[in-house]
Amino acid sequence: MKRREFLKNMIFVGAGAFILPQLWTTKAAEAAWNADGGAAANGVDPLLGIPIQETNFEFSSLQNRRTTDAIVIHHVGNTNRDVSAAEIDRWHKNNGWAGIGYHFVIRKDGTIERGRPMDMLGAHCYEHNWHTVGVNIVGEFDNHEPEPRQMDSAASLLAALCRYYGIEPDRQHIKGHREYNATACPGQNLFDRLPGLVAMTRKYY
Ligand SMILES: [Zn+2]
């Protein structure tokens, strides 16, 4: 084989190797889309640009939130179990609420699950729902520590939310629940880590 032909074949093989995974990925994405009745499971959220696990909860009623200038961090508090957004949704519906009050739930493995749609008024921080997004990092953080994967996911979510809403990623705009209401939430250990979480957020921002 002449050198020129050899190079031509190499380019062809290279192109084939590149195209096949592309086609497979498209088909896989289509399958996920159809299986989930719309959105791809754990797909990249088009507005935030990070993977969000869709939950498709039903809400009895929701109102739009017109202002967003802060993000409130919560923990679950009464248990350090790996509680799901679906379980919190059941708790909050049992309270007689429209559905889960938080906008995002970060599981122990770092998966970010969707709670209430992020542009809707939440039910997570008394007298401050009108201007805040609620993020629950699941666990009990007075006696336990959050998982490193949770903190990493939280930083990427906070950075994405700050970009989307035009919020400066600093301690003025990323708050622990206890800074607004008389509560231990999000637990002393997580509260002590908020400056570090904000520093990580700025790296992602
Ligand atoms: Zn809270």
Side-chain angles (χ1 to χ4, degrees):
M1 195 184 289
K2 283 180 184 162
R3 181 181 152 78
R4 191 170 175 161
E5 269 175 321
F6 174 79
L7 282 174
K8 220 164 92 183
N9 286 341
M10 284 310 289
I11 287 162
F12 179 76
V13 167
F18 177 71
I19 285 164
L20 278 174
Q22 285 284 101
L23 287 174
W24 185 85
T25 311
T26 307
K27 282 215 185 308
E30 273 172 7
W33 179 274
N34 293 331
D36 207 26
N42 206 14
V44 171
D45 180 85
L47 301 178
L48 295 178
I50 58 168
I52 304 288
Q53 179 70 55
E54 294 298 342
T55 44
N56 302 312
F57 299 136
E58 285 181 19
F59 295 87
S60 55
S61 67
L62 289 176
Q63 284 177 272
N64 276 305
R65 188 184 60 255
R66 290 190 172 82
T67 304
T68 306
D69 63 10
I71 302 161
V72 183
I73 305 297
H74 303 264
H75 71 163
V76 170
N78 57 3
T79 176
N80 194 42
R81 267 194 310 113
D82 183 28
V83 172
S84 68
E87 187 168 354
I88 298 172
D89 185 58
R90 285 194 294 275
W91 294 346
H92 289 182
K93 278 176 175 144
N94 283 339
N95 289 348
W97 302 355
I100 186 168
Y102 308 109
H103 298 93
F104 297 96
V105 171
I106 305 181
R107 304 290 298 275
K108 296 281 185 187
D109 69 357
T111 300
I112 304 169
E113 295 183 321
R114 192 179 307 281
R116 203 169 277 217
M118 67 181 175
D119 285 330
M120 296 295 166
L121 202 58
H124 60 94
C125 188
Y126 181 67
E127 289 189 336
H128 291 277
N129 291 308
W130 64 274
H131 67 107
T132 62
V133 175
V135 175
N136 191 304
I137 299 176
V138 306
E140 186 282 312
F141 302 129
D142 277 312
N143 299 297
H144 302 89
E145 296 287 343
E147 299 292 331
R149 280 178 294 190
Q150 285 182 295
M151 297 304 279
D152 195 59
S153 291
S156 88
L157 174 62
L158 293 173
L161 289 170
C162 285
R163 277 195 303 267
Y164 180 72
Y165 288 112
I167 300 170
E168 192 62 31
D170 57 26
R171 280 291 282 115
Q172 290 303 109
H173 301 94
I174 297 172
K175 296 284 198 186
H177 187 184
R178 63 167 65 176
E179 293 176 273
Y180 283 130
N181 297 153
T183 172
C185 183
Q188 191 62 46
N189 295 334
L190 178 52
F191 186 73
D192 289 344
R193 285 164 171 258
L194 288 185
L197 179 60
V198 168
M200 274 167 73
T201 299
R202 295 189 76 88
K203 283 185 189 163
Y204 277 105
Y205 181 72

